[in-house]
mmCIF file of all heavy atoms in Angstrom:
data_model
loop_
_atom_site.group_PDB
_atom_site.id
_atom_site.type_symbol
_atom_site.label_atom_id
_atom_site.label_comp_id
_atom_site.label_asym_id
_atom_site.label_seq_id
_atom_site.Cartn_x
_atom_site.Cartn_y
_atom_site.Cartn_z
ATOM 1 N N LEU A 1 5.585 20.557 -38.123
ATOM 2 C CA LEU A 1 6.517 21.621 -37.821
ATOM 3 C C LEU A 1 7.919 21.078 -37.979
ATOM 4 O O LEU A 1 8.149 19.891 -37.756
ATOM 5 C CB LEU A 1 6.351 22.109 -36.367
ATOM 6 C CG LEU A 1 5.004 22.647 -35.901
ATOM 7 C CD1 LEU A 1 5.030 22.821 -34.374
ATOM 8 C CD2 LEU A 1 4.689 23.989 -36.564
ATOM 9 N N ASP A 2 8.867 21.913 -38.342
ATOM 10 C CA ASP A 2 10.267 21.482 -38.230
ATOM 11 C C ASP A 2 10.748 21.844 -36.836
ATOM 12 O O ASP A 2 10.004 22.446 -36.034
ATOM 13 C CB ASP A 2 11.140 22.063 -39.342
ATOM 14 C CG ASP A 2 11.294 23.579 -39.285
ATOM 15 O OD1 ASP A 2 11.255 24.147 -38.192
ATOM 16 O OD2 ASP A 2 11.459 24.191 -40.349
ATOM 17 N N LEU A 3 11.993 21.501 -36.523
ATOM 18 C CA LEU A 3 12.458 21.664 -35.149
ATOM 19 C C LEU A 3 12.558 23.127 -34.745
ATOM 20 O O LEU A 3 12.223 23.502 -33.611
ATOM 21 C CB LEU A 3 13.821 20.981 -34.995
ATOM 22 C CG LEU A 3 14.279 20.697 -33.555
ATOM 23 C CD1 LEU A 3 13.213 19.958 -32.777
ATOM 24 C CD2 LEU A 3 15.576 19.892 -33.572
ATOM 25 N N ALA A 4 12.989 23.992 -35.665
ATOM 26 C CA ALA A 4 13.069 25.413 -35.350
ATOM 27 C C ALA A 4 11.681 25.998 -35.087
ATOM 28 O O ALA A 4 11.494 26.838 -34.182
ATOM 29 C CB ALA A 4 13.761 26.169 -36.482
ATOM 30 N N GLN A 5 10.695 25.581 -35.851
ATOM 31 C CA GLN A 5 9.329 26.036 -35.623
ATOM 32 C C GLN A 5 8.784 25.505 -34.299
ATOM 33 O O GLN A 5 8.084 26.241 -33.583
ATOM 34 C CB GLN A 5 8.419 25.584 -36.769
ATOM 35 C CG GLN A 5 8.664 26.281 -38.090
ATOM 36 C CD GLN A 5 7.813 25.697 -39.194
ATOM 37 O OE1 GLN A 5 7.936 24.529 -39.529
ATOM 38 N NE2 GLN A 5 6.939 26.511 -39.755
ATOM 39 N N ALA A 6 9.103 24.273 -33.966
ATOM 40 C CA ALA A 6 8.630 23.694 -32.700
ATOM 41 C C ALA A 6 9.209 24.467 -31.524
ATOM 42 O O ALA A 6 8.492 24.775 -30.554
ATOM 43 C CB ALA A 6 9.048 22.229 -32.614
ATOM 44 N N GLU A 7 10.478 24.838 -31.599
ATOM 45 C CA GLU A 7 11.088 25.625 -30.540
ATOM 46 C C GLU A 7 10.470 27.019 -30.462
ATOM 47 O O GLU A 7 10.371 27.614 -29.373
ATOM 48 C CB GLU A 7 12.589 25.724 -30.757
ATOM 49 C CG GLU A 7 13.312 24.400 -30.516
ATOM 50 C CD GLU A 7 14.756 24.427 -30.977
ATOM 51 O OE1 GLU A 7 15.001 24.840 -32.131
ATOM 52 O OE2 GLU A 7 15.615 24.069 -30.170
ATOM 53 N N ALA A 8 10.035 27.540 -31.614
ATOM 54 C CA ALA A 8 9.410 28.854 -31.637
ATOM 55 C C ALA A 8 8.091 28.861 -30.863
ATOM 56 O O ALA A 8 7.683 29.905 -30.350
ATOM 57 C CB ALA A 8 9.172 29.304 -33.084
ATOM 58 N N VAL A 9 7.423 27.704 -30.786
ATOM 59 C CA VAL A 9 6.182 27.618 -29.988
ATOM 60 C C VAL A 9 6.498 27.952 -28.538
ATOM 61 O O VAL A 9 5.819 28.781 -27.899
ATOM 62 C CB VAL A 9 5.575 26.217 -30.108
ATOM 63 C CG1 VAL A 9 4.399 26.089 -29.142
ATOM 64 C CG2 VAL A 9 5.134 25.934 -31.530
ATOM 65 N N ALA A 10 7.546 27.329 -27.994
ATOM 66 C CA ALA A 10 7.945 27.604 -26.593
ATOM 67 C C ALA A 10 8.432 29.039 -26.438
ATOM 68 O O ALA A 10 8.142 29.702 -25.441
ATOM 69 C CB ALA A 10 9.014 26.618 -26.156
ATOM 70 N N ASP A 11 9.157 29.543 -27.445
ATOM 71 C CA ASP A 11 9.664 30.911 -27.359
ATOM 72 C C ASP A 11 8.520 31.936 -27.388
ATOM 73 O O ASP A 11 8.592 32.969 -26.724
ATOM 74 C CB ASP A 11 10.626 31.180 -28.523
ATOM 75 C CG ASP A 11 11.918 30.400 -28.397
ATOM 76 O OD1 ASP A 11 12.269 30.036 -27.247
ATOM 77 O OD2 ASP A 11 12.577 30.163 -29.426
ATOM 78 N N LEU A 12 7.481 31.638 -28.157
ATOM 79 C CA LEU A 12 6.335 32.532 -28.214
ATOM 80 C C LEU A 12 5.631 32.592 -26.851
ATOM 81 O O LEU A 12 5.223 33.647 -26.376
ATOM 82 C CB LEU A 12 5.357 32.083 -29.310
ATOM 83 C CG LEU A 12 4.131 32.952 -29.546
ATOM 84 C CD1 LEU A 12 4.544 34.363 -29.983
ATOM 85 C CD2 LEU A 12 3.240 32.325 -30.620
ATOM 86 N N ILE A 13 5.514 31.431 -26.203
ATOM 87 C CA ILE A 13 4.890 31.383 -24.886
ATOM 88 C C ILE A 13 5.717 32.136 -23.854
ATOM 89 O O ILE A 13 5.203 32.856 -22.988
ATOM 90 C CB ILE A 13 4.700 29.915 -24.440
ATOM 91 C CG1 ILE A 13 3.680 29.216 -25.355
ATOM 92 C CG2 ILE A 13 4.240 29.831 -22.979
ATOM 93 C CD1 ILE A 13 3.600 27.717 -25.146
ATOM 94 N N ASP A 14 7.048 32.006 -23.958
ATOM 95 C CA ASP A 14 7.950 32.602 -22.958
ATOM 96 C C ASP A 14 8.409 34.005 -23.295
ATOM 97 O O ASP A 14 9.213 34.587 -22.553
ATOM 98 C CB ASP A 14 9.205 31.707 -22.804
ATOM 99 C CG ASP A 14 8.866 30.344 -22.246
ATOM 100 O OD1 ASP A 14 7.846 30.242 -21.534
ATOM 101 O OD2 ASP A 14 9.614 29.378 -22.513
ATOM 102 N N ALA A 15 7.946 34.571 -24.420
ATOM 103 C CA ALA A 15 8.421 35.884 -24.863
ATOM 104 C C ALA A 15 8.262 36.934 -23.752
ATOM 105 O O ALA A 15 7.191 37.064 -23.153
ATOM 106 C CB ALA A 15 7.683 36.339 -26.118
ATOM 107 N N ALA A 16 9.356 37.669 -23.488
ATOM 108 C CA ALA A 16 9.356 38.657 -22.422
ATOM 109 C C ALA A 16 9.052 40.068 -22.923
ATOM 110 O O ALA A 16 9.002 41.002 -22.123
ATOM 111 C CB ALA A 16 10.713 38.651 -21.702
ATOM 112 N N SER A 17 8.887 40.240 -24.219
ATOM 113 C CA SER A 17 8.560 41.544 -24.769
ATOM 114 C C SER A 17 7.778 41.349 -26.053
ATOM 115 O O SER A 17 7.731 40.259 -26.630
ATOM 116 C CB SER A 17 9.839 42.352 -25.072
ATOM 117 O OG SER A 17 10.551 41.754 -26.144
ATOM 118 N N ARG A 18 7.124 42.441 -26.493
ATOM 119 C CA ARG A 18 6.334 42.366 -27.725
ATOM 120 C C ARG A 18 7.224 42.044 -28.921
ATOM 121 O O ARG A 18 6.860 41.273 -29.798
ATOM 122 C CB ARG A 18 5.588 43.669 -27.953
ATOM 123 C CG ARG A 18 4.796 43.705 -29.241
ATOM 124 C CD ARG A 18 3.980 44.965 -29.378
ATOM 125 N NE ARG A 18 2.908 45.015 -28.371
ATOM 126 C CZ ARG A 18 1.983 45.966 -28.332
ATOM 127 N NH1 ARG A 18 2.021 46.963 -29.213
ATOM 128 N NH2 ARG A 18 1.046 45.936 -27.422
ATOM 129 N N GLU A 19 8.428 42.633 -28.946
ATOM 130 C CA GLU A 19 9.332 42.400 -30.063
ATOM 131 C C GLU A 19 9.770 40.943 -30.089
ATOM 132 O O GLU A 19 9.910 40.330 -31.165
ATOM 133 C CB GLU A 19 10.535 43.336 -29.997
ATOM 134 C CG GLU A 19 11.362 43.384 -31.260
ATOM 135 C CD GLU A 19 10.572 43.803 -32.481
ATOM 136 O OE1 GLU A 19 9.714 44.699 -32.360
ATOM 137 O OE2 GLU A 19 10.768 43.189 -33.560
ATOM 138 N N ALA A 20 10.026 40.360 -28.904
ATOM 139 C CA ALA A 20 10.394 38.937 -28.831
ATOM 140 C C ALA A 20 9.251 38.072 -29.323
ATOM 141 O O ALA A 20 9.471 37.086 -30.023
ATOM 142 C CB ALA A 20 10.789 38.578 -27.407
ATOM 143 N N ALA A 21 8.021 38.430 -28.957
ATOM 144 C CA ALA A 21 6.855 37.659 -29.423
ATOM 145 C C ALA A 21 6.732 37.731 -30.935
ATOM 146 O O ALA A 21 6.420 36.735 -31.596
ATOM 147 C CB ALA A 21 5.596 38.179 -28.745
ATOM 148 N N ARG A 22 6.961 38.923 -31.499
ATOM 149 C CA ARG A 22 6.890 39.058 -32.970
ATOM 150 C C ARG A 22 7.941 38.191 -33.655
ATOM 151 O O ARG A 22 7.662 37.552 -34.674
ATOM 152 C CB ARG A 22 7.076 40.526 -33.356
ATOM 153 C CG ARG A 22 5.904 41.420 -33.010
ATOM 154 C CD ARG A 22 6.254 42.869 -33.261
ATOM 155 N NE ARG A 22 5.126 43.759 -32.988
ATOM 156 C CZ ARG A 22 5.235 45.082 -32.915
ATOM 157 N NH1 ARG A 22 6.401 45.661 -33.083
ATOM 158 N NH2 ARG A 22 4.160 45.829 -32.652
ATOM 159 N N SER A 23 9.143 38.211 -33.104
ATOM 160 C CA SER A 23 10.209 37.406 -33.712
ATOM 161 C C SER A 23 9.909 35.904 -33.591
ATOM 162 O O SER A 23 10.173 35.131 -34.516
ATOM 163 C CB SER A 23 11.547 37.720 -33.052
ATOM 164 O OG SER A 23 11.935 39.056 -33.315
ATOM 165 N N ALA A 24 9.371 35.490 -32.438
ATOM 166 C CA ALA A 24 9.000 34.094 -32.269
ATOM 167 C C ALA A 24 7.895 33.701 -33.256
ATOM 168 O O ALA A 24 7.908 32.592 -33.820
ATOM 169 C CB ALA A 24 8.543 33.845 -30.839
ATOM 170 N N MET A 25 6.963 34.631 -33.491
ATOM 171 C CA MET A 25 5.884 34.339 -34.437
ATOM 172 C C MET A 25 6.437 34.188 -35.844
ATOM 173 O O MET A 25 5.982 33.345 -36.627
ATOM 174 C CB MET A 25 4.849 35.462 -34.369
ATOM 175 C CG MET A 25 3.553 35.121 -35.073
ATOM 176 S SD MET A 25 2.681 33.747 -34.310
ATOM 177 C CE MET A 25 2.403 32.676 -35.709
ATOM 178 N N ARG A 26 7.444 35.012 -36.195
ATOM 179 C CA ARG A 26 8.060 34.891 -37.517
ATOM 180 C C ARG A 26 8.716 33.512 -37.683
ATOM 181 O O ARG A 26 8.632 32.888 -38.718
ATOM 182 C CB ARG A 26 9.067 36.015 -37.722
ATOM 183 C CG ARG A 26 8.433 37.352 -38.069
ATOM 184 C CD ARG A 26 9.461 38.355 -38.536
ATOM 185 N NE ARG A 26 10.288 38.844 -37.453
ATOM 186 C CZ ARG A 26 10.048 39.945 -36.763
ATOM 187 N NH1 ARG A 26 8.987 40.679 -37.057
ATOM 188 N NH2 ARG A 26 10.855 40.336 -35.801
ATOM 189 N N SER A 27 9.388 33.060 -36.605
ATOM 190 C CA SER A 27 10.000 31.738 -36.650
ATOM 191 C C SER A 27 8.962 30.634 -36.746
ATOM 192 O O SER A 27 9.140 29.646 -37.467
ATOM 193 C CB SER A 27 10.900 31.517 -35.430
ATOM 194 O OG SER A 27 12.019 32.373 -35.470
ATOM 195 N N LEU A 28 7.846 30.802 -36.020
ATOM 196 C CA LEU A 28 6.791 29.810 -36.060
ATOM 197 C C LEU A 28 6.171 29.738 -37.447
ATOM 198 O O LEU A 28 5.791 28.657 -37.919
ATOM 199 C CB LEU A 28 5.721 30.131 -35.005
ATOM 200 C CG LEU A 28 4.546 29.176 -34.889
ATOM 201 C CD1 LEU A 28 5.024 27.752 -34.630
ATOM 202 C CD2 LEU A 28 3.599 29.629 -33.776
ATOM 203 N N ARG A 29 6.067 30.896 -38.119
ATOM 204 C CA ARG A 29 5.545 30.885 -39.493
ATOM 205 C C ARG A 29 6.520 30.248 -40.471
ATOM 206 O O ARG A 29 6.157 29.912 -41.592
ATOM 207 C CB ARG A 29 5.262 32.320 -39.945
ATOM 208 C CG ARG A 29 4.054 32.972 -39.353
ATOM 209 C CD ARG A 29 3.599 34.147 -40.227
ATOM 210 N NE ARG A 29 4.714 34.992 -40.592
ATOM 211 C CZ ARG A 29 5.012 36.151 -40.009
ATOM 212 N NH1 ARG A 29 4.260 36.590 -39.020
ATOM 213 N NH2 ARG A 29 6.039 36.876 -40.424
ATOM 214 N N GLY A 30 7.775 30.133 -40.073
ATOM 215 C CA GLY A 30 8.747 29.450 -40.916
ATOM 216 C C GLY A 30 9.774 30.365 -41.554
ATOM 217 O O GLY A 30 10.557 29.922 -42.413
ATOM 218 N N ASP A 31 9.868 31.643 -41.123
ATOM 219 C CA ASP A 31 10.829 32.572 -41.729
ATOM 220 C C ASP A 31 12.266 32.106 -41.491
ATOM 221 O O ASP A 31 13.102 32.140 -42.393
ATOM 222 C CB ASP A 31 10.633 33.986 -41.162
ATOM 223 C CG ASP A 31 9.330 34.608 -41.614
ATOM 224 O OD1 ASP A 31 8.552 33.918 -42.299
ATOM 225 O OD2 ASP A 31 9.089 35.776 -41.291
ATOM 226 N N PHE A 32 12.575 31.724 -40.252
ATOM 227 C CA PHE A 32 13.925 31.259 -39.922
ATOM 228 C C PHE A 32 14.224 29.973 -40.702
ATOM 229 O O PHE A 32 15.306 29.823 -41.291
ATOM 230 C CB PHE A 32 14.027 31.046 -38.421
ATOM 231 C CG PHE A 32 15.407 30.650 -37.944
ATOM 232 C CD1 PHE A 32 16.556 31.141 -38.542
ATOM 233 C CD2 PHE A 32 15.554 29.779 -36.870
ATOM 234 C CE1 PHE A 32 17.826 30.787 -38.092
ATOM 235 C CE2 PHE A 32 16.809 29.441 -36.394
ATOM 236 C CZ PHE A 32 17.948 29.927 -37.019
ATOM 237 N N SER A 33 13.288 29.046 -40.706
ATOM 238 C CA SER A 33 13.484 27.771 -41.413
ATOM 239 C C SER A 33 13.667 27.999 -42.898
ATOM 240 O O SER A 33 14.480 27.315 -43.551
ATOM 241 C CB SER A 33 12.274 26.851 -41.167
ATOM 242 O OG SER A 33 12.117 26.581 -39.783
ATOM 243 N N ALA A 34 12.945 28.984 -43.448
ATOM 244 C CA ALA A 34 13.077 29.280 -44.882
ATOM 245 C C ALA A 34 14.461 29.802 -45.209
ATOM 246 O O ALA A 34 15.048 29.472 -46.251
ATOM 247 C CB ALA A 34 12.015 30.291 -45.314
ATOM 248 N N ALA A 35 15.007 30.637 -44.302
ATOM 249 C CA ALA A 35 16.364 31.160 -44.509
ATOM 250 C C ALA A 35 17.375 30.024 -44.479
ATOM 251 O O ALA A 35 18.321 29.980 -45.297
ATOM 252 C CB ALA A 35 16.698 32.208 -43.452
ATOM 253 N N ILE A 36 17.206 29.089 -43.538
ATOM 254 C CA ILE A 36 18.101 27.939 -43.468
ATOM 255 C C ILE A 36 17.928 27.056 -44.712
ATOM 256 O O ILE A 36 18.905 26.550 -45.276
ATOM 257 C CB ILE A 36 17.821 27.117 -42.193
ATOM 258 C CG1 ILE A 36 18.058 27.963 -40.938
ATOM 259 C CG2 ILE A 36 18.691 25.860 -42.162
ATOM 260 C CD1 ILE A 36 19.461 28.491 -40.815
ATOM 261 N N ALA A 37 16.672 26.891 -45.163
ATOM 262 C CA ALA A 37 16.418 26.067 -46.340
ATOM 263 C C ALA A 37 17.089 26.639 -47.591
ATOM 264 O O ALA A 37 17.572 25.903 -48.447
ATOM 265 C CB ALA A 37 14.906 25.923 -46.560
ATOM 266 N N ARG A 38 17.105 27.990 -47.702
ATOM 267 C CA ARG A 38 17.761 28.615 -48.849
ATOM 268 C C ARG A 38 19.261 28.327 -48.838
ATOM 269 O O ARG A 38 19.876 28.051 -49.867
ATOM 270 C CB ARG A 38 17.500 30.108 -48.861
ATOM 271 C CG ARG A 38 16.095 30.489 -49.297
ATOM 272 C CD ARG A 38 15.976 31.966 -49.569
ATOM 273 N NE ARG A 38 16.123 32.770 -48.347
ATOM 274 C CZ ARG A 38 15.120 33.095 -47.541
ATOM 275 N NH1 ARG A 38 13.899 32.670 -47.825
ATOM 276 N NH2 ARG A 38 15.330 33.808 -46.460
ATOM 277 N N LEU A 39 19.851 28.384 -47.644
ATOM 278 C CA LEU A 39 21.282 28.068 -47.537
ATOM 279 C C LEU A 39 21.551 26.610 -47.892
ATOM 280 O O LEU A 39 22.489 26.295 -48.626
ATOM 281 C CB LEU A 39 21.762 28.348 -46.108
ATOM 282 C CG LEU A 39 21.922 29.817 -45.728
ATOM 283 C CD1 LEU A 39 22.154 29.932 -44.210
ATOM 284 C CD2 LEU A 39 23.077 30.460 -46.485
ATOM 285 N N VAL A 40 20.688 25.709 -47.387
ATOM 286 C CA VAL A 40 20.864 24.280 -47.690
ATOM 287 C C VAL A 40 20.698 24.008 -49.174
ATOM 288 O O VAL A 40 21.449 23.223 -49.771
ATOM 289 C CB VAL A 40 19.870 23.441 -46.858
ATOM 290 C CG1 VAL A 40 19.859 21.993 -47.305
ATOM 291 C CG2 VAL A 40 20.229 23.518 -45.366
ATOM 292 N N ALA A 41 19.722 24.686 -49.805
ATOM 293 C CA ALA A 41 19.516 24.501 -51.242
ATOM 294 C C ALA A 41 20.721 24.959 -52.025
ATOM 295 O O ALA A 41 21.159 24.304 -52.989
ATOM 296 C CB ALA A 41 18.267 25.257 -51.689
ATOM 297 N N GLY A 42 21.298 26.090 -51.634
ATOM 298 C CA GLY A 42 22.491 26.573 -52.307
ATOM 299 C C GLY A 42 23.665 25.644 -52.115
ATOM 300 O O GLY A 42 24.448 25.402 -53.060
ATOM 301 N N LEU A 43 23.801 25.081 -50.922
ATOM 302 C CA LEU A 43 24.869 24.101 -50.668
ATOM 303 C C LEU A 43 24.656 22.848 -51.492
ATOM 304 O O LEU A 43 25.615 22.252 -51.998
ATOM 305 C CB LEU A 43 24.916 23.776 -49.176
ATOM 306 C CG LEU A 43 25.690 24.732 -48.280
ATOM 307 C CD1 LEU A 43 25.457 24.431 -46.826
ATOM 308 C CD2 LEU A 43 27.190 24.671 -48.599
#
């Protein structure tokens, strides 16, 4: 896992709503990391 995905594990456990759990799951799958990776690649 990268660091953002690792933090998403804790966020998924602590999610206070279904929408928060869905967003945490997206981060755990790597959606947030992929967005950051695209920015880094462009840079």
Side-chain angles (χ1 to χ4, degrees):
L1 302 169
D2 65 30
L3 197 51
Q5 289 175 298
E7 289 170 309
V9 173
D11 291 336
L12 184 60
I13 294 171
D14 295 334
S17 69
R18 177 175 292 185
E19 193 57 40
R22 288 173 178 168
S23 295
M25 193 64 232
R26 283 192 286 267
S27 292
L28 181 56
R29 286 201 313 259
D31 291 4
F32 184 34
S33 300
I36 299 300
R38 285 192 293 272
L39 287 169
V40 170
L43 277 170

